Amino acid sequence: MKRPFRAPAAAAVLCSAPLLLAAVLATDATINTTTPSSSSPCAPAMCGGLRIEYPFWLGGTHPPECGYRAFQVTCDGNGTAFLENSFWKYQILNISYDDSTFRLANHDLSDGTCDVEVRVNATSDLGLAPFAISRTNQRLYFLYNCTDLRARPPPRSWAPVNCTKGSNVSTFNSFALLAGGYRPVPGNCRVSMMPVLGYPGAAGKDYRQLMKGGFLLDYAADDCAACKESGGRCRIDTDYDIFQCHCSDGVADLIVCGQYLFISFLHHFKFRRPGNY
């Protein structure tokens, strides 16, 4: 866990307090992350223009108890956020905390040069995380080595795939197909699929842009808002990767602090009408 930024001791001697503050602020402006204060270690942090907060946490900025393991984010020197604990390298393009969704792009494939030799579903490792592929996405199929296309040409919706970097020569009998759902594929092809969010008018020929645009994931996490409303602080037990609500008298047995739960209980019965049980 990285410690908060501190100016060197020599700077403290040579600079007056106002100049030192200005130097720290100027230095902070040149980096791409913002660091929460020591009194609020899990406060939202920024990676470029992306706000990182529970259930996500920014490695090197937040302590691990600020979010679940699967939600760890890293931020590179360009202010680009990546999902840390996955086989593929996923860039996080956007997070909607209100909708519990976030948009990813497979950084290893999104340059459009098609590592088709991998021949696996590009989201296969996300099935082990608390994420689900949103139904908003479309399916981008890659069809490789289609051996039964000699007698007839491929359908018009099949776009030849160029998998040679810097070349305009298409890979032999390999294609891209954009579909709203699964469909049988003729031609005795090997098939892999990746979800894409898509856009109006997109087709298989736009596979490069579709991969760069990424896909949407739904995520599930315990309710931090209820804990905060009860006066607690949202934390994760890092041994078991489970949610905890930290209250003034210790860790709550439920997801809210006990005093808040008791007051809510009294309020509930105080305003109930007689006989309405």
Side-chain angles (χ1 to χ4, degrees):
M1 181 178 68
K2 293 184 179 179
R3 297 182 179 276
F5 176 84
R6 289 184 173 86
V13 174
L14 296 175
C15 300
S16 65
L19 291 177
L20 178 58
L21 177 60
V24 172
L25 292 176
T27 303
D28 190 62
T30 65
I31 61 177
N32 293 296
T33 60
T34 57
T35 304
S37 66
S38 57
S39 60
S40 302
C42 294
M46 298 298 294
C47 174
L50 195 66
R51 189 177 87 255
I52 309 299
E53 62 179 279
Y54 174 88
F56 297 88
W57 60 287
L58 189 58
T61 299
H62 290 132
E65 60 265 26
C66 292
Y68 296 97
R69 293 186 193 122
F71 290 80
Q72 183 179 356
V73 177
T74 58
C75 189
D76 70 8
N78 297 317
T80 304
F82 294 94
L83 195 63
E84 172 67 12
N85 297 311
S86 57
F87 175 78
W88 295 90
K89 188 175 183 180
Y90 291 109
Q91 179 183 349
I92 303 176
L93 303 175
N94 182 59
I95 302 174
S96 175
Y97 294 98
D98 292 336
D99 299 329
S100 296
T101 63
F102 65 114
R103 184 160 56 97
L104 296 177
N106 190 313
H107 190 266
D108 294 322
L109 301 179
S110 61
D111 63 353
T113 55
C114 328
D115 268 332
V116 294
E117 295 83 0
V118 178
R119 295 193 180 104
V120 296
N121 288 341
T123 56
S124 56
D125 61 324
L126 293 175
L128 301 177
F131 311 132
I133 305 297
S134 172
R135 294 184 179 182
T136 306
N137 298 297
Q138 295 178 280
R139 291 174 174 85
L140 180 62
Y141 291 97
F142 288 99
L143 320 172
Y144 319 116
N145 301 328
C146 301
T147 58
D148 293 345
L149 295 179
R150 297 178 182 178
R152 59 176 181 174
R156 291 184 178 181
S157 58
W158 292 21
V161 170
N162 176 10
C163 293
T164 305
K165 206 167 191 177
S167 171
N168 293 322
V169 179
S170 296
T171 300
F172 178 71
N173 281 353
S174 294
F175 306 89
L177 168 67
L178 181 65
Y182 176 78
R183 64 176 65 178
V185 177
N188 193 24
C189 306
R190 299 185 66 172
V191 182
S192 70
M193 184 277 294
M194 67 183 303
V196 291
L197 195 54
Y199 52 88
K205 63 182 177 59
D206 305 307
Y207 64 89
R208 295 174 186 268
Q209 189 62 34
L210 287 165
M211 288 191 291
K212 289 180 180 179
F215 57 95
L216 200 65
L217 285 180
D218 300 321
Y219 68 81
D222 285 288
D223 187 8
C224 179
C227 174
K228 286 183 176 180
E229 289 175 3
S230 70
R233 293 168 294 144
C234 303
R235 295 293 185 268
I236 300 299
D237 181 327
T238 56
D239 290 331
Y240 299 100
D241 202 35
I242 58 175
F243 179 83
Q244 291 181 332
C245 185
H246 287 206
C247 309
S248 58
D249 57 349
V251 177
D253 293 330
L254 301 175
I255 63 171
V256 295
C257 296
Q259 183 179 5
Y260 176 83
L261 187 64
F262 179 70
I263 294 173
S264 298
F265 178 80
L266 293 179
H267 185 272
H268 174 71
F269 279 94
K270 180 179 179 180
F271 291 98
R272 291 181 69 176
R273 293 180 180 179
N276 185 17
Y277 298 101

